[in-house]
């Protein structure tokens, strides 16, 4: 009964149709919060997401509905300064405005005229091709006031059972750490894949190792979990690997640098030998 | 019945007591291949592993049994040139000698006088504190001849159901790829942990993201799975992250370099803007 009431009163508009907007829109719909309309700069992505969410779409900022209670802005951070001034017309300023970006502070909002605002940051790696289980995703909230925070909690807790509050500085640290543990980790996977494929070997053989590497840090701190030539400071292996990377200049640079990162944590006593 | 016969005829000596030797010895014992003796340079690690494997140990190369059929050498690669000449006495040369190193070619063996030799390389991240399920670990074999390969298959298949043959060049590529997807990935986890802990945040919050990042590449190629500011080439976010890393010079360098690695794969058309 309560849920039914929420669904009627909360009119949500989604600004953006990228990976995060797609996964968030889908999760909101499944949680009983249908989206009233989708805006995207291109008709193709707007219509694709609108079809998925069974709602209208627009590619014109002027046509974005003016009567929503919650606007969720999920755009590339660099698009915000261009788009927000055109969205926050006097009529729309009464609504609650949130963005979903890890590294954009909450206090951008007043500059655009918003009076009720916040952040709903789901910390996960989203690809359009892959549906994720939103219930497990940590969601970090920040809001301009109590009423706004309460509404965001209600929405976020319908999506996930890992809802936390975090101020802008904490959220930025979380996002930066997420870039390392997710985006940069995936870049390491991509490097491994290319090195194998160039030798006619299948990346799939790495999956048991990838899984164990991830599982391990559930029980050991990453500093305890570290293995490999750099932590043993096995110069022979490291040099032979650097030699093998002669045709991969960026990977070679990464090998040397990440080995230094590892070495700095462990073998401080050998530093003078470097 | 067959297994019982193997256990009686195959006398195995383990040279080394590090993470890999510990996990391999434990897995061999569980698979019905008890270890006859353990050698390690230090009494402490030799006795610790010998206790685990319920076998004698020695810290003296001269006291290593001379009548084993299989010697498994699992030492830091740089220790091999010092240790192997002292082990491969005429009496011990009749045995099968294998090492477990990804990046050491098989053809080191004849130089030390071995006539029957090979490699048994389990590709996994081993920490003493954590028992791994050896059955899932890819094991790569190389051998000097058919008879030797057959024996290594028998032993390896008792340990794992992912046994492959790989020559020294392939094994080196596998090891190098493993350093990226495992050791360097863990270094990214460690960086994330430090960035969070320095802001009073708990690394445990990253686990759902870490798990999804690993799971994702079971169904998407890492190149398709990539997300984050570098693949979107979101300059504002990247610059604000670099600024936030002012006090972490190695992490700052890594951020710039890995972002270039990511960018090189995706946005080649924007390269001129770099």
């Amino acid at each position: 009964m309560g849920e039914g009431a929420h669904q009627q009163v909360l009119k949500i508009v989604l600004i953006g149709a990228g990976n995060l907007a797609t996964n968030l829109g889908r999760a909101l719909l499944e949680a009983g919060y249908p989206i009233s309309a989708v805006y995207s700069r291109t008709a193709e992505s707007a219509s694709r997401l609108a079809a998925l969410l069974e709602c209208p779409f627009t590619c014109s900022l002027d046509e974005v509905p003016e009567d929503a209670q919650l606007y969720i802005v999920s755009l590339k951070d660099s698009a915000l300064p261009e788009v927000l001034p055109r969205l926050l017309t006097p009529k729309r300023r009464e609504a609650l405005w949130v963005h979903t970006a890890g590294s954009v502070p909450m206090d951008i909002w007043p500059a655009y005229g918003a009076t009720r605002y916040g952040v709903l940051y789901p910390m996960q790696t989203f690809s359009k091709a892959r549906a994720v289980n939103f219930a497990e995703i940590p969601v970090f909230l920040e809001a301009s006031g109590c009423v706004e925070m309460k509404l965001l909690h209600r929405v976020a807790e319908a999506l996930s059972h890992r809802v936390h509050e975090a101020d802008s500085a904490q959220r930025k640290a979380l996002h930066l750490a997420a870039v390392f543990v997710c985006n940069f980790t995936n870049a390491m996977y991509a490097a491994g894949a290319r090195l194998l494929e160039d030798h006619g070997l299948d990346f799939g053989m790495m999956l048991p190792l990838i899984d164990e590497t991830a599982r391990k840090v559930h029980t050991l701190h990453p500093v305890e979990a570290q293995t490999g030539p750099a932590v043993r400071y096995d110069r022979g292996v490291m040099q032979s690997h650097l030699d093998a990377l002669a045709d991969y200049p960026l990977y070679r640079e990464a090998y040397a640098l990440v080995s230094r990162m590892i070495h700095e944590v462990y073998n401080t006593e050998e530093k003078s030998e470097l």
Side-chain angles (χ1 to χ4, degrees), chain A residues 183-202:
Chain A
N183 305 151
F184 290 179
T185 283
N186 188 75
M188 300 300 131
Y189 298 165
R194 185 167 157 211
L195 293 169
L196 289 177
E197 287 156 8
D198 286 357
H199 285 83
L201 294 160
D202 178 24

Side-chain angles (χ1 to χ4, degrees), chain A residues 56-77:
Chain A
F57 69 91
T58 177
C59 315
S60 155
L61 289 169
D62 301 328
E63 288 175 8
V64 169
E66 295 192 303
D67 60 342
Q69 279 95 46
L70 175 60
Y71 292 87
I72 301 178
V73 180
S74 188
L75 297 171
K76 183 168 162 164
D77 300 5

Side-chain angles (χ1 to χ4, degrees), chain A residues 139-212:
Chain A
V139 177
F140 297 92
L141 303 180
E142 189 176 12
S144 56
C146 267
V147 178
E148 291 76 19
M149 185 59 102
K150 217 169 153 182
L151 178 62
L152 290 185
H153 263 287
R154 201 179 81 194
V155 173
E157 279 159 18
L159 297 175
S160 165
H161 56 256
R162 299 179 194 262
V163 178
H164 309 274
E165 295 183 17
D167 64 25
S168 294
Q170 289 174 318
R171 192 173 58 252
K172 188 171 176 178
L174 286 160
H175 187 211
L176 184 51
V179 168
F180 276 87
V181 309
C182 168
N183 305 151
F184 290 179
T185 283
N186 188 75
M188 300 300 131
Y189 298 165
R194 185 167 157 211
L195 293 169
L196 289 177
E197 287 156 8
D198 286 357
H199 285 83
L201 294 160
D202 178 24
F203 174 69
M205 287 198 283
M206 290 289 143
L207 293 174
L209 181 58
I210 284 173
D211 291 346
E212 170 65 8

Side-chain angles (χ1 to χ4, degrees), chain A residues 3 41-42 46 62 79 116 127-129 131 136 142 144 153 178-179:
Chain A
E3 275 307 311
R41 200 171 47 81
T42 65
D62 301 328
R116 302 174 55 230
S127 295
K128 286 197 191 84
E136 300 297 328
E142 189 176 12
S144 56
H153 263 287
V179 168

Side-chain angles (χ1 to χ4, degrees), chain A residues 229-235 238 263-264 266-274:
Chain A
V231 66
R232 294 193 305 270
Y233 210 64
D234 200 326
R235 286 156 201 268
M238 289 165 72
H263 191 63
E264 195 184 50
Y266 301 91
N267 295 3
T268 41
E269 73 278 10
E270 281 193 35
K271 252 182 182 170
S272 56
E273 293 184 53
L274 276 175

Side-chain angles (χ1 to χ4, degrees), chain A residues 87-150:
Chain A
L87 276 173
L88 278 141
T89 55
K91 274 197 179 167
R92 296 199 195 93
R93 282 184 194 168
E94 300 306 307
L96 174 54
W97 286 84
V98 302
H99 70 68
T100 59
S103 290
V104 176
M106 181 174 71
D107 64 14
I108 60 151
W109 285 119
Y112 295 112
T115 54
R116 302 174 55 230
Y117 49 84
V119 181
L120 186 155
Y121 169 53
M123 193 177 66
Q124 189 49 276
T125 166
F126 296 106
S127 295
K128 286 197 191 84
R130 184 177 163 82
V132 293
N133 178 10
F134 227 99
E136 300 297 328
I137 297 177
V139 177
F140 297 92
L141 303 180
E142 189 176 12
S144 56
C146 267
V147 178
E148 291 76 19
M149 185 59 102
K150 217 169 153 182

